[in-house]
Amino acid sequence: MNTPAALAELDKLQSLHPYTNLRRHEERGPVIMARGRGIHVYDVEGREYIEGLAGLWCCSLGFSNERLIAAATKQLNTLPYYHGFAHKTSDVAIEAARELLAIAPGKMARVFFGTSGSDANDTAIKLVRYYNNALGRPHKKKIIARTKGYHGVSVAAASLTGLPHLHTGFDLPGPDVLHTDCPHHWRFAQPGESEEAFAARLARSLGQLIEREGPETIAAFIAEPVMGAGGVIPPPEGYFDLVQPILKQHDILMIADEVICGFGRTGQMWGSQTYDIEPDILTCAKALTGGYVPFSATLISQRVYEPIAEQSAKIGTFGHGYTYSAHPLGAAVAIEAMKIYREVDIAARVRSLAPQLQEGLRTLAASPIVGEVRGVGLIAAVELVKNKTTRESFPPGAAIAGYFAERAHAHGLVLRALGEAVALCPPLVIEPSEIDEMLARFTRALRDTEAYAERFSK
Ligand SMILES: Cc1ncc(COP(=O)(O)O)c(C=O)c1O
């Protein structure tokens, strides 16, 4: 077995890391994790960290859930691979779809399985096209997403994503994608504008965009109930209540991207339930298997399904599907994860723990560099600012959130820097005493960052 130093050298020479400055990586090398237990992960040197982002917002049941491991092991020993092409499937894929539909919100009636949030959203886009072609509306194709929304990195999903670094250098976004306003009240509201008034202004702006483009050209609107990678941005009061009637009026489908919010994160099983969203299409992944197996789902209503089924009959097949669609390993682990969510009433658990996290973070609002503390359920972010009154940002060169994340790491807490915010999204199995410890480590990183920030105060 290689030593940690040898592993790091190998990684520097051979890797191409996601979301990483590749040249910087050649110099500083990797953080190498070796094992996990509960909410903790341990690096190859044996250092312990609280995984404050549940990996990438996904390990809701922690890093050593014996039931998920047993379900995976059993499935590998029984039927390690099968697929969904040409009328075939597996018993577990059928069962996973049934479990998912049983807990899905509203009108969901059909399930397509993939392996990532990105491909779930790609599938949603293709279904929207197929649906409108089936209905004889070949011009109704554009999809409206939001600035700072995150929907993945495939060519189509990255186009929907409203973050510049997913577009720059990649010739994206592609055609037929529009972006409307980011619903971040603290950052984008006008002076004195209430959340409700801000939401109303954004809804008007959406309506105007639709009118300008022509409602007959707009097929769908996609939104995360709470924006995740864009900075953990819960919607302003009344936002979805105002947006949805506009979509209905123009026969525009509502796609809820529940890849982060799904399975209890916001205190209800779905973010759509927390914010009264009635999706026509819903995508989910991540916590669907507790992050243990790549597995995702795109759910659609019967109304969306019917024309698609007709169209496939006319064409002769529904020409979409991955080798790993409905993979039995993902299906088996998803069934077990959903069983656990039901047994422990995961949403109720989140509701009972949320005040400790949310109020705990809000006690840090007095810090001279904390502009906003926001979040819901067990997802939260702290926005760092140079000037609390004017909300002036730190200069980009300060890399303030990156510095915070490094200090947190040094104090044994993994979190995520997103723009000028730092985000927490811990495993939902976190215990109250562990939340206290996470907050203590977070506070230590904040104090270090306050000291660092002083050099930018002039
Ligand atoms: C809301 C949302 N949608 C889609 C994705 C893409 O998922 P994946 O990275 O599995 O492709 C992510 C990933 O973080 C996400 O947060």
Side-chain angles (χ1 to χ4, degrees):
M1 186 63 188
N2 280 314
T3 62
L7 281 174
E9 280 314 306
L10 264 180
D11 190 64
K12 286 203 268 183
L13 285 173
Q14 67 190 16
S15 69
L16 205 163
H17 274 260
Y19 285 94
T20 300
N21 177 328
L22 301 176
R23 283 285 178 238
R24 175 128 50 93
H25 189 75
E26 291 169 13
E27 282 155 27
R28 57 160 272 183
V31 172
I32 313 173
M33 293 302 178
R35 63 191 184 88
R37 181 123 221 110
I39 66 157
H40 296 101
V41 288
Y42 301 82
D43 68 19
V44 277
E45 312 269 8
R47 276 185 294 264
E48 171 248 72
Y49 306 85
I50 294 176
E51 229 315 339
L53 209 89
L56 286 175
W57 331 81
C58 54
C59 289
S60 287
L61 295 171
F63 291 83
S64 53
N65 188 285
E66 310 241 324
R67 285 178 57 180
L68 297 188
I69 296 162
T73 310
K74 180 167 168 234
Q75 191 58 43
L76 285 172
N77 281 315
T78 316
L79 181 70
Y81 174 78
Y82 220 71
H83 60 83
F85 281 37
H87 305 283
K88 297 186 181 63
T89 186
S90 62
D91 51 356
V92 280
I94 295 172
E95 188 63 20
R98 190 180 68 113
E99 289 284 325
L100 190 51
L101 286 174
I103 58 170
K107 312 170 275 197
M108 297 301 106
R110 301 270 165 175
V111 183
F112 176 92
F113 286 120
T115 53
S116 73
S118 299
D119 76 46
N121 286 327
D122 264 23
T123 295
I125 296 166
K126 289 181 76 177
L127 288 172
V128 166
R129 290 185 181 174
Y130 209 79
Y131 168 80
N132 278 311
N133 286 331
L135 292 176
R137 309 193 294 200
H139 301 297
K140 204 168 172 67
K141 291 290 164 54
K142 294 175 195 163
I143 302 192
I144 300 179
R146 300 176 304 167
T147 302
K148 292 203 181 194
Y150 190 90
H151 303 292
V153 297
S154 60
V155 170
S159 293
L160 296 179
T161 294
L163 295 167
H165 56 268
L166 273 85
H167 298 159
T168 310
F170 292 113
D171 300 339
L172 295 173
D176 288 341
V177 171
L178 303 165
H179 287 97
T180 190
D181 310 83
C182 171
H184 189 185
H185 178 262
W186 180 83
R187 180 49 82 196
F188 298 116
Q190 287 160 357
E193 193 177 36
S194 68
E195 282 199 34
E196 288 84 350
F198 176 63
R201 178 158 66 80
L202 264 48
R204 276 197 305 280
S205 163
L206 174 66
Q208 285 157 3
L209 174 64
I210 293 167
E211 293 298 344
R212 253 194 335 270
E213 294 286 327
E216 72 288 353
T217 70
I218 312 286
F221 174 78
I222 184 164
E224 301 154 86
V226 175
M227 281 185 169
V232 182
I233 302 167
E237 199 56 46
Y239 175 80
F240 284 108
D241 297 338
L242 293 170
V243 161
Q244 292 183 97
I246 297 172
L247 304 178
K248 281 215 174 76
Q249 183 195 340
H250 297 298
D251 199 6
I252 295 169
L253 297 172
M254 170 79 215
I255 308 173
D257 180 339
E258 294 266 7
V259 168
I260 287 181
C261 293
F263 308 100
R265 179 58 64 186
T266 65
Q268 300 287 339
M269 189 53 95
W270 303 96
S272 291
Q273 290 158 339
T274 301
Y275 297 107
D276 290 330
I277 300 168
E278 283 183 32
D280 300 290
I281 301 179
L282 180 152
T283 56
C284 60
K286 295 191 190 279
L288 174 56
T289 59
Y292 285 23
V293 180
F295 201 56
S296 67
T298 306
L299 285 72
I300 59 175
S301 67
Q302 194 66 20
R303 173 169 85 93
V304 174
Y305 171 74
E306 283 302 334
I308 289 173
E310 275 306 307
Q311 183 83 334
S312 83
K314 271 196 214 128
I315 295 172
T317 188
F318 173 60
H320 177 68
Y322 304 98
T323 299
Y324 301 119
S325 279
H327 197 290
L329 183 58
V333 175
I335 293 167
E336 197 61 19
M338 287 186 278
K339 263 190 205 146
I340 298 170
Y341 296 144
R342 196 171 49 241
E343 283 167 25
V344 303
D345 194 348
I346 199 74
R349 178 181 172 79
V350 170
R351 285 195 298 278
S352 76
L353 292 172
Q356 192 188 345
L357 175 68
Q358 301 293 346
E359 286 162 26
L361 284 175
R362 278 162 184 76
T363 63
L364 303 174
S367 160
I369 61 165
V370 169
E372 186 190 32
V373 180
R374 54 181 181 263
V376 58
L378 286 181
I379 182 168
V382 171
E383 185 89 19
L384 305 167
V385 274
K386 182 174 164 198
N387 185 320
K388 284 171 83 108
T389 319
T390 62
R391 302 187 178 176
E392 182 194 345
S393 301
F394 283 100
I400 194 82
Y403 182 87
F404 191 117
E406 276 176 23
R407 291 316 302 154
H409 197 89
H411 291 299
L413 171 62
V414 179
L415 47 67
R416 183 92 184 269
L418 302 168
E420 284 175 63
V422 284
L424 288 175
C425 181
L428 305 182
V429 293
I430 195 166
E431 294 292 339
S433 61
E434 293 173 328
I435 294 182
D436 282 343
E437 180 56 27
M438 182 170 75
L439 290 171
R441 294 181 191 189
F442 189 94
T443 306
R444 271 173 231 144
L446 176 63
R447 298 297 169 240
D448 291 353
T449 310
E450 286 167 358
Y452 168 74
E454 270 172 28
R455 74 192 69 179
F456 305 105
S457 64
K458 276 128 215 120

